[in-house]
Amino acid sequence: MDQIFFQRLQDLVLDSNDVGAFLQEMSVLSAASITEAAGLPVTCAVALTRQRKSVTVAGSCPEARQLDEIQQAFGDGPCLQAVRESAVVVVRDTRTDTRWGRYNQLVADRGQLSILGVPLALEHGATASLSFFAPEADAFTEEIIRHCQTFACQGGKALRLAVRIGASQELRDDVLAAMKSRTSINLASGIVMGQSRCTQAEAISILTRVSNNRNVKLRVVAEEILRNYDSSLSAENSTHFDI
C-alpha cells in the first residue's frame, strides 16, 4: 500500500496547478496513509515557508488546518520545534504535556489527544512540516512514527519538486508581467511623442511626472493613455509572448 501512496505523491506534482493545491492534496494523502497505518482517524496539516513568502498552510480537514494556523500564530509548538531541530516531535497526551501549555490545551479541547510533528527536508531556505493529530493518547507508536518518517521522506522529495516548479511558474509570470508593462509604457510614450512632438526621453519624463503627481504606477498611466487613445490598442492586443 505504501507504494501506492508514494506513486500518488509523484502524480500530485504533475496534477496540481500550484504549490498551494499540491499542499492541500498532500495533506489529504498523508492523513489517509497514517490513518490506515494507525487504525484510527488521523488528520494532517502541512505548513510551508519559503524565502520572502508567508507561511502556506493546508489541511486534510478545516480543523487540522486551523490547529496548525493557531500554532503558527503562537510562534511555537511541536511542529515548529520539529522544523527547528530537524527531528520528529511527539506529544503523547495533550492533556498532560506541559511544553506548549496553551496550545496543547486548545488541541485537547478540540478532542485531539496526540500530536506528531515531522519535518520535511527542503532546500534554498524553504522549510516545511507535517502535523498529525489523533483523538487518542499515545496514538503515535514507534512503528507509526517510523511510518510517518518514511512517508515524510517521500513527501519531502515530491514537495521539493513542486516548489521548484512553482518557483519557475512564478518567475515566468513575473517576466510576462514585466514585458507587458514595458510594452504599454513604450506604446504610450510613442503616443506622447506624436502628440507633443518630443523625444522618447521627454515622453518618458512626462509619463513619469504624471505617475508621481497621481501616486500611481507608470504602467497604470500608460494603460490609461492607451485606452483613451484607442480602446483596441493595448499591450495584450499588440503583443504576444510565449515563454
Side-chain angles (χ1 to χ4, degrees):
M1 181 59 70
D2 283 348
Q3 190 58 42
I4 295 176
F5 282 112
F6 297 157
Q7 181 60 52
R8 180 60 185 142
L9 275 173
Q10 301 303 317
D11 292 341
L12 287 179
V13 177
L14 301 177
D15 296 341
S16 300
N17 295 325
D18 54 42
V19 174
F22 173 83
L23 293 177
Q24 177 61 41
E25 294 298 327
M26 181 182 181
S27 66
V28 172
L29 188 62
S30 300
S33 174
I34 307 309
T35 291
E36 180 176 291
L40 73 161
V42 175
T43 60
C44 176
V46 55
L48 167 68
T49 303
R50 289 180 285 175
Q51 289 180 327
R52 300 184 301 278
K53 293 185 180 293
S54 60
V55 178
T56 302
V57 179
S60 61
C61 65
E63 184 176 71
R65 174 172 180 160
Q66 186 179 48
L67 289 176
D68 205 294
E69 288 175 337
I70 292 171
Q71 181 177 191
Q72 300 294 333
F74 279 165
D76 199 9
C79 300
L80 293 176
Q81 181 171 317
V83 170
R84 288 196 302 268
E85 299 181 353
S86 298
V88 170
V89 174
V90 185
V91 176
R92 300 197 176 279
D93 192 332
T94 53
R95 297 167 298 185
T96 58
D97 192 304
T98 60
R99 286 174 292 176
W100 304 280
R102 288 180 58 203
Y103 180 68
N104 285 349
Q105 187 58 54
L106 186 150
V107 175
D109 290 344
R110 301 289 184 90
Q112 303 299 325
L113 303 186
S114 297
I115 307 173
L116 178 65
V118 185
L120 299 175
L122 299 183
E123 57 191 4
H124 303 311
T127 62
S129 65
L130 292 171
S131 302
F132 294 101
F133 305 94
E136 296 182 9
D138 288 314
F140 300 112
T141 63
E142 293 302 320
E143 181 181 355
I144 298 303
I145 291 173
R146 286 194 296 272
H147 183 90
C148 291
Q149 289 176 304
T150 300
F151 189 90
C153 179
Q154 297 297 324
K157 293 178 182 178
L159 182 55
R160 285 199 298 274
L161 180 56
V163 170
R164 289 177 189 172
I165 293 173
S168 297
Q169 291 173 336
E170 290 170 1
L171 177 60
R172 173 184 179 275
D173 292 343
D174 289 346
V175 170
L176 283 174
M179 294 172 74
K180 289 178 180 178
S181 177
R182 187 71 255 173
T183 299
S184 296
I185 294 170
N186 286 339
L187 289 172
S189 65
I191 293 172
V192 174
M193 289 169 64
Q195 293 177 339
S196 302
R197 298 184 182 279
C198 61
T199 65
Q200 184 180 32
E202 291 170 332
I204 292 294
S205 178
I206 292 172
L207 293 176
T208 301
R209 282 203 305 274
V210 174
S211 172
N212 292 336
N213 290 339
R214 294 177 53 191
N215 195 29
V216 296
K217 293 182 178 180
L218 183 59
R219 172 183 55 81
V220 174
V221 173
E223 290 175 351
E224 287 182 359
I225 290 175
L226 295 181
R227 285 195 298 270
N228 292 334
Y229 183 79
D230 185 347
S231 61
S232 67
L233 183 61
S234 68
E236 291 184 357
N237 292 333
S238 301
T239 59
H240 177 71
F241 301 113
D242 287 315
I243 296 181

